[in-house]
Amino acid sequence: MIDFHSHFLPGIDDGSDSISLSLTMLDAWCNQGIDTVCATPHFYAERNNPERFIRRREEAYNALREYMARYTPSNGGQWPDIRLGSEVHFFDGISRFEGLHELCLEGTNLLLLEMPFRTWTSRMIDEVSVIYSTTGLMPVAAHIERYLDQPRKLVKEFLDLDIFFQSNAEFFLESGTSRKAIKMLKKGVITFWGSDAHNMDRRPVNLGPALRVISKSLGEDFVGKLTNRQYDIIEQFSNDFF
Ligand SMILES: [Fe+2]
């Protein structure tokens, strides 16, 4: 099982603020049967640059790895595989931004893209639509459920784009949205799921419970098949030729 979206690397963004919390979060993933976790710290182009971001991400990851080597998960199993990536906040000119490829999920051309929360314009959608043709990178739009109240026409245009969409676990877990989440998953709109975990209280590691809700509605077979598809997509967009 893959958690495609999380903020557990210590001290790099508004996610985990300590190695101990990062280890607790990793332990929760282990106990929930999640074996691959994508580390996707926030990237804001207006206050960061790819080089600095990658250096800080590497430092945070290396510090955490030392402790992962010293301890084992509480269930006696293995720590999840960690794939380094980022969550890039949309900005005007993103499709022409140099260094965007360095922010992709490592070894792939998949770019986790966070859309703005302000009201969308058709120009924004147009810019997302050309990211692939101009950069060769494939956007994965983060937590699509957060944008469903944007202007209807633009949401439709956005969902019609030939990109991938990710949803957060809470979309499946909250009673007011769960039915819609399952419907969007069943229709094939949502391809990736993630906890978007930042800590262990307000924004916890909760993909396991969400997968149980999905299994209950659509069957374990569905979860297994979509998981395989997620790994296939990561493989398909792999840029690791050697
Ligand atoms: Fe996030």
Side-chain angles (χ1 to χ4, degrees):
M1 304 290 177
I2 307 173
D3 190 327
F4 202 78
H5 185 166
S6 70
H7 302 265
F8 71 95
L9 291 182
I12 186 167
D13 62 3
D14 59 342
S16 169
D17 57 5
S18 67
I19 285 178
S20 128
L21 177 55
S22 302
L23 287 173
T24 306
M25 292 171 78
L26 283 169
D27 197 57
W29 273 299
C30 281
N31 284 308
Q32 292 175 22
I34 311 297
D35 48 30
T36 305
V37 181
C38 301
T40 53
H42 293 286
F43 177 84
Y44 299 102
E46 66 275 19
R47 49 182 131 117
N48 211 338
N49 63 62
E51 197 185 326
R52 179 169 173 267
F53 174 86
I54 304 260
R55 192 183 65 240
R56 290 191 60 227
R57 188 185 63 186
E58 210 60 37
E59 285 165 8
Y61 180 48
N62 288 340
L64 179 59
R65 270 208 310 197
E66 272 186 41
Y67 284 83
M68 288 168 68
R70 267 187 239 170
Y71 297 98
T72 46
S74 59
N75 66 3
Q78 304 263 325
W79 294 115
D81 278 339
I82 295 172
R83 301 283 299 249
L84 299 177
S86 71
E87 176 181 14
V88 178
H89 192 76
F90 176 90
F91 55 96
D92 286 336
I94 188 171
S95 62
R96 300 181 302 280
F97 184 68
E98 276 190 41
L100 205 56
H101 61 281
E102 294 172 64
L103 300 170
C104 286
L105 185 66
E106 62 174 343
T108 78
N109 288 338
L110 295 169
L111 183 77
L112 186 64
L113 178 67
E114 179 181 44
M115 290 300 284
F117 294 106
R118 66 178 191 272
T119 307
W120 287 0
T121 62
S122 42
R123 253 191 59 199
M124 289 175 188
I125 312 290
D126 290 346
E127 179 140 27
V128 174
S129 77
V130 299
I131 289 180
Y132 186 67
S133 54
T134 53
T135 66
L137 308 180
M138 174 55 76
V140 179
H143 37 60
I144 184 62
E145 64 277 6
R146 292 202 193 163
Y147 309 108
L148 299 179
D149 55 359
Q150 287 284 347
R152 212 180 156 81
K153 179 175 164 283
L154 296 181
V155 172
K156 188 176 178 320
E157 274 176 36
F158 192 65
L159 293 175
D160 282 343
L161 293 180
D162 210 1
I163 64 174
F164 296 112
F165 300 97
Q166 177 261 320
S167 274
N168 283 359
E170 63 183 346
F171 190 35
F172 297 94
L173 291 170
E174 282 178 9
S175 56
T177 58
S178 182
R179 270 181 65 178
K180 187 166 187 95
I182 294 289
K183 203 168 150 192
M184 286 176 70
L185 191 62
K186 200 174 168 188
K187 279 176 87 174
V189 179
I190 299 163
T191 301
F192 290 99
W193 42 53
S195 60
D196 198 2
H198 281 62
N199 45 51
M200 284 304 287
D201 40 60
R202 284 164 300 107
R203 304 187 68 182
V205 173
N206 57 359
L207 185 58
L211 292 177
R212 279 201 297 280
V213 168
I214 297 167
S215 286
K216 217 170 148 190
S217 296
L218 301 176
E220 274 178 30
D221 202 40
F222 181 94
V223 173
K225 279 187 182 150
L226 190 50
T227 298
N228 289 341
R229 173 141 194 266
Q230 292 165 354
Y231 281 112
D232 286 349
I233 290 169
I234 289 172
E235 181 68 31
Q236 183 193 341
F237 285 90
S238 159
N239 57 20
D240 218 350
F241 299 113
F242 302 101

